[in-house]
């Protein structure tokens, strides 16, 4: 996901990891079947991106579960994700159709 407000993202990640939104965020993750959430910042020439990995959920299901949360938020925290985090921190216009589902490109094992 794009990052349009790095300061806002830093504040939000502090809140969900150990701050005022920590328990609500963990409740949301449990509801959608996530055992661990990892977020990475990837600087690019086109702007910073956040790479989000949900463990415990098939990555192909991630878009569906995230989309369900956006369409049908179940808590104040999920409404905050929909109304503040996604449009303001990530600059995503939720009035537009969602991107196509993530497709696995390759797997390399050793």
């Amino acid at each position: 996901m794009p990052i349009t407000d790095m300061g806002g993202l830093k504040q939000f990640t502090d809140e969900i990891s150990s701050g005022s939104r920590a328990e609500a965020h963990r409740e949301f993750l449990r509801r959608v079947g996530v055992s661990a959430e990892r977020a990475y910042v990837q600087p690019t020439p086109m702007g910073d991106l956040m790479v989000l990995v949900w463990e415990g959920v098939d990555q192909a299901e991630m878009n569906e579960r995230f989309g369900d949360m956006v369409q049908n938020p179940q808590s104040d925290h999920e409404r905050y994700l929909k109304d503040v985090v996604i449009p303001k921190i990530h600059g995503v216009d939720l009035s537009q159709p969602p991107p196509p589902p993530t497709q696995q490109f390759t797997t390399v094992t050793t």
Side-chain angles (χ1 to χ4, degrees), residues 4-110:
T4 57
D5 180 357
M6 185 63 79
L9 179 62
K10 174 69 173 129
Q11 179 180 346
F12 176 69
T13 58
D14 288 347
E15 290 171 354
I16 64 170
S17 60
S18 61
S20 61
R21 296 186 181 282
E23 187 50 41
H25 194 70
R26 283 168 177 76
E27 186 176 311
F28 156 65
L29 293 173
R30 284 189 292 270
R31 182 177 84 75
V32 297
V34 174
S35 59
E37 177 180 73
R38 300 185 193 286
Y40 303 86
V41 173
Q42 177 63 60
T44 77
M46 300 162 291
D48 294 333
L49 299 175
M50 183 186 77
V51 178
L52 183 65
V53 177
W54 279 354
E55 294 178 17
V57 174
D58 184 305
Q59 293 302 299
E61 295 176 16
M62 184 176 170
N63 282 355
E64 180 180 329
R65 292 180 188 212
F66 197 80
D68 179 60
M69 181 277 300
V70 169
Q71 294 296 317
N72 188 24
Q74 300 291 308
S75 67
D76 287 339
H77 180 68
E78 291 180 23
R79 281 184 284 284
Y80 182 79
L81 294 173
K82 175 187 173 194
D83 297 338
V84 176
V85 175
I86 296 168
K88 295 187 171 127
I89 292 175
H90 294 293
V92 174
D93 182 353
L94 292 175
S95 69
Q96 298 298 310
T102 302
Q103 295 180 347
Q104 184 173 344
F105 188 68
T106 189
T107 299
V108 177
T109 60
T110 60

